[in-house]
Amino acid sequence: MDTNMLAVDYPVLNIFWTMLELFLWILWFFLLFKIITDIFRSHDLGGWAKAGWLLLVIVLPLIGVLAYVIARGKSMSERDAAQVRQSEAAVKAYIREAAGTGTPGGGGSHVDDLARLADLKEKGAISEEEYQKAKDKLLT
């Protein structure tokens, strides 16, 4: 069988249609997994409600997915936004903690401590040797 003949037998419109079907199939799977994740993440649903939605989405996939998006689509987006805000807050807290500008104990950062030490040395409250020891202790 000639392979060149196979390429000619598959018109461009059929290639377009196949690509569209593949795209819609992948899109539907993405939506299905997103909905299943949202079912388990939702705190306002009880166990039986989660089981019912999950059963509906798995047994009757097209109807279940459409019903879930219609019935709970708005709250699904609100949960997504809340999760994004929570993640951003956690990242900002981690950055503040790593930078030393917001230590949980209420103390200052290493930079602030070093600045205070330098001020004390400048004012003559501590000697150069005490300054070096305190600085080494802070940096280790």
Side-chain angles (χ1 to χ4, degrees), residues 87-109:
S87 296
E88 285 177 354
V91 167
K92 287 179 182 178
Y94 172 75
I95 290 171
R96 271 190 242 103
E97 182 181 333
T101 58
T103 54
S109 69

Side-chain angles (χ1 to χ4, degrees), residues 2 6 18 29 33 46 80 89-90 120 122 133:
D2 189 17
L6 289 175
T18 303
F29 266 114
F33 291 134
D80 280 342
L120 288 173
E122 234 175 68
K133 284 182 185 177

Side-chain angles (χ1 to χ4, degrees), residues 11-88:
V12 174
L13 190 57
N14 284 356
I15 293 172
F16 174 75
W17 188 251
T18 303
M19 297 284 286
L20 182 65
E21 287 175 344
L22 180 66
F23 172 75
L24 291 175
W25 188 67
I26 291 171
L27 182 69
W28 182 81
F29 266 114
F30 174 78
L31 187 59
L32 177 68
F33 291 134
K34 181 87 173 145
I35 286 173
I36 289 173
T37 302
D38 189 66
I39 288 171
F40 286 111
R41 182 178 53 176
S42 179
H43 295 295
D44 60 338
L45 287 178
W48 286 107
K50 288 181 183 183
W53 274 114
L54 195 60
L55 189 65
L56 183 66
V57 166
I58 291 174
V59 172
L60 299 171
L62 186 60
I63 295 171
V65 166
L66 289 175
Y68 191 85
V69 168
I70 291 169
R72 299 183 47 85
K74 185 175 180 182
S75 63
M76 190 164 92
S77 66
E78 290 169 356
R79 279 186 292 280
D80 280 342
Q83 184 178 7
V84 167
R85 284 191 301 272
Q86 183 181 10
S87 296
E88 285 177 354

